[in-house]
Amino acid sequence: MIMERTGLPGLGISHQLTTREGNRLGVVSHLDGRHVLVLYDRTEPEQAVGTVTLRPDDARTVADVLHATVTVDHVADLVEPADGVRAARIRIRAGSAYADRPLGDTRARSRTGASIVSVLRGAEVNAAPGPNFVFRAADVVVAVGHEDGLLRLRDLLAAAG
């Protein structure tokens, strides 16, 4: 699958995906938390044939159904790549062993090699959270590290409690 991510100044972010079968769909994530799913015509790839608008709670449910636990953001336009270091977003799911527990309990950096640099809670951004920061279900952890460390962090945060 090919995924393109485009910033939409003043609106949000657009992700456009093309499946191996050639189907094209998009997700427009608005700054107010709404998401619009877009299905494109196979013969006219820029022509939308249908849309569905999701409220934030609906979007979280769809993400959980699709098991979208890790999103790797490519930031090549912002900084020079640093020896394979990437950024990822990892959702804390209901039932995670770390929901309602402090970040320090994860020992994430020493166990995975990845560093948690912020936590998104709805529209709130908690930059550089300390060890006493308490995770909640649906929080989105922003972490940096090598791909294997990010995958270990995803598995750690996804473990059932």
Side-chain angles (χ1 to χ4, degrees):
M1 178 178 292
I2 298 170
M3 179 170 60
E4 300 171 39
R5 177 183 162 130
T6 306
L8 305 171
L11 182 66
I13 296 174
S14 171
H15 290 88
Q16 294 184 353
L17 306 116
T18 304
T19 66
R20 288 187 180 122
E21 292 79 26
N23 294 312
R24 194 162 145 79
L25 59 121
V27 178
V28 178
S29 301
H30 291 260
L31 295 173
D32 66 4
R34 287 178 303 120
H35 299 275
V36 177
L37 305 178
V38 182
L39 180 61
Y40 293 96
D41 188 297
R42 282 186 71 129
T43 60
E44 294 290 331
E46 298 303 317
Q47 177 70 35
V49 294
T51 63
V52 175
T53 300
L54 301 174
R55 294 185 327 239
D57 56 330
D58 296 329
R60 283 189 294 276
T61 300
V62 171
D64 285 342
V65 167
L66 296 174
H67 302 288
T69 58
V70 175
T71 300
V72 176
D73 289 330
H74 298 281
V75 292
D77 293 339
L78 303 177
V79 296
E80 286 294 315
D83 195 29
V85 173
R86 303 201 185 289
R89 295 180 187 197
I90 304 168
R91 183 175 303 280
I92 303 289
R93 297 182 183 283
S96 165
Y98 295 101
D100 301 316
R101 288 181 53 197
L103 182 151
D105 286 1
T106 66
R107 298 185 344 263
R109 185 172 165 82
S110 61
R111 293 171 73 183
T112 69
S115 296
I116 295 173
V117 296
S118 67
V119 178
L120 310 175
R121 181 173 288 158
E124 180 183 340
V125 177
N126 298 283
N132 295 325
F133 179 88
V134 176
F135 291 122
R136 300 283 181 247
D139 282 352
V140 176
V141 170
V142 178
V144 295
H146 289 91
E147 186 171 349
D148 59 329
L150 293 170
L151 292 172
R152 285 193 302 270
L153 180 60
R154 178 207 56 197
D155 292 345
L156 175 71
L157 297 177

